């Protein structure tokens, strides 16, 4: 674990309607020691108040992923896509040559909680694309986002992947990213690795030559990224 990101050290932005925790430098939060990991540029842990959201704004040349953990998001973009993204669903928007979009809490009574994730693409200027799926958990580790859309996952323009890791209390799992750089971000629950305890919001990297044995202290849900070692 060359890189450890503790939950309480993340950047914080609270705008009343939005409570956001930034794993990496973003907007008004800047820390040169936390600029991202490989091509993983943004992990924002967002809570949006009922009926509020991000108004129409533009992006280009970025793979943008939304991972909803509570409530629903209302998505609309300049490519004609208009959808509701609910708990358990994964949304990917390839901004490519440019897209204008908005993301609002679809509920007028409940908060929506979701992770906004940005991954730098390996090819610029592609045609914008949109996809969302509900991908059921299959075993401990389920691919959600991959380079080639394997096993029913959603594809992105990068040699990188995002999987959902779910473990039960006392269950043991070996983290091994092979030739890639691994990065684990805990959504809920707690785990131990090498005698060190990590909880929701914490994250750490796994080197290509490294295998880490983790044990869930409680029911665990986490995002597991496999990223290129060079970019």
């Amino acid at each position: 674990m060359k890189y450890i990101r503790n939950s309480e050290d993340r950047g914080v932005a609270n705008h009343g309607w939005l409570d956001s925790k930034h794993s990496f430098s973003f907007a008004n939060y800047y820390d040169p020691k936390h600029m991202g990991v490989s091509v993983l540029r943004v992990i924002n842990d967002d809570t949006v108040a009922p009926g509020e959201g991000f108004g129409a704004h533009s992006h280009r040349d970025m793979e943008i992923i939304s991972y909803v953990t509570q409530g629903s998001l209302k998505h609309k973009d300049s490519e004609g896509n208009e959808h509701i993204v609910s708990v358990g669903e994964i949304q990917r928007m390839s901004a490519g040559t440019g897209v204008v979009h908005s993301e609002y809490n679809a509920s007028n009574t409940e908060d929506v909680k979701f992770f906004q994730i940005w991954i730098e693409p390996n090819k610029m200027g592609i045609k914008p694309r949109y996809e969302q799926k509900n991908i059921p958990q299959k075993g401990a580790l389920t691919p959600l986002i991959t380079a080639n859309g394997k096993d029913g996952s959603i594809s992105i323009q990068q040699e990188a992947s995002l999987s959902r890791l779910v473990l039960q209390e006392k269950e043991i799992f070996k983290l091994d990213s092979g030739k890639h750089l691994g990065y684990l971000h805990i959504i809920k629950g707690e785990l131990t690795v090498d005698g060190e305890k990590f909880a929701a919001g914490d994250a750490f990297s796994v080197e290509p030559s490294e295998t880490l044995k983790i044990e869930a202290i409680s029911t665990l849900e986490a995002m597991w990224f496999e990223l290129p070692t060079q970019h």
Side-chain angles (χ1 to χ4, degrees):
M1 291 183 290
K2 286 188 176 181
Y3 180 80
I4 294 175
R5 190 65 166 127
N6 292 315
S7 176
E8 63 270 21
D9 296 331
R10 292 179 293 175
V12 176
N14 194 320
H15 301 287
W17 62 273
L18 169 67
D19 181 12
S20 185
K21 297 177 177 63
H22 304 327
S23 292
F24 309 122
S25 294
F26 184 87
N28 293 328
Y29 168 66
Y30 176 74
D31 186 334
K33 291 184 285 188
H34 302 291
M35 298 299 294
V37 175
S38 178
V39 295
L40 177 59
R41 183 60 190 83
V42 169
I43 299 181
N44 289 348
D45 186 350
D46 291 343
T47 301
V48 178
E52 300 287 350
F54 302 89
H57 58 287
S58 62
H59 294 286
R60 63 179 299 125
D61 291 325
M62 191 65 71
E63 300 290 308
I64 300 173
I65 299 159
S66 296
Y67 184 125
V68 180
T69 59
Q70 177 185 309
S72 298
L73 272 179
K74 184 178 181 181
H75 170 91
K76 186 176 182 179
D77 65 44
S78 55
E79 294 291 301
N81 298 297
E82 190 167 353
H83 301 282
I84 300 295
V85 187
S86 300
V87 174
E89 290 188 302
I90 300 298
Q91 174 205 74
R92 183 268 293 139
M93 184 178 68
S94 298
T97 53
V99 65
V100 176
H101 76 118
S102 62
E103 306 289 337
Y104 277 89
N105 187 342
S107 171
N108 290 317
T109 57
E110 294 183 294
D111 288 347
V112 61
K113 297 178 181 288
F114 71 103
F115 288 92
Q116 179 185 169
I117 301 158
W118 293 10
I119 294 177
E120 298 172 1
N122 56 14
K123 185 178 180 181
M124 305 298 174
I126 67 171
K127 179 178 171 54
R129 299 180 299 163
Y130 179 91
E131 190 174 1
Q132 74 180 68
K133 278 187 179 181
N134 187 326
I135 303 175
Q137 192 70 16
K138 298 175 182 176
L141 195 66
T142 299
L144 305 176
I145 302 285
T146 64
N148 55 14
K150 67 178 182 180
D151 300 326
S153 64
I154 295 173
S155 65
I156 57 170
Q157 190 66 51
Q158 182 55 267
E159 290 298 322
S161 67
L162 163 61
S163 299
R164 183 196 300 118
L165 177 64
V166 175
L167 300 178
Q168 302 306 312
E169 182 180 354
K170 296 185 179 180
E171 191 172 355
I172 293 172
F173 189 84
K174 289 185 178 180
L175 293 173
D176 182 351
S177 57
K179 63 180 182 179
H180 293 92
L181 174 65
Y183 189 74
L184 187 80
H185 182 106
I186 301 171
I187 297 172
K188 65 180 180 182
E190 298 177 320
L191 63 82
T192 58
V193 55
D194 293 337
E196 191 167 356
K197 184 177 176 181
F198 293 91
D202 293 336
F204 54 83
S205 67
V206 180
E207 297 301 301
S209 58
E210 189 177 27
T211 298
L212 294 181
K213 185 171 73 172
I214 65 172
E215 181 174 356
I217 298 173
S218 57
T219 301
L220 180 83
E221 181 179 354
M223 295 184 290
W224 170 243
F225 297 88
E226 294 186 10
L227 307 161
T229 55
Q230 295 180 340
H231 68 286

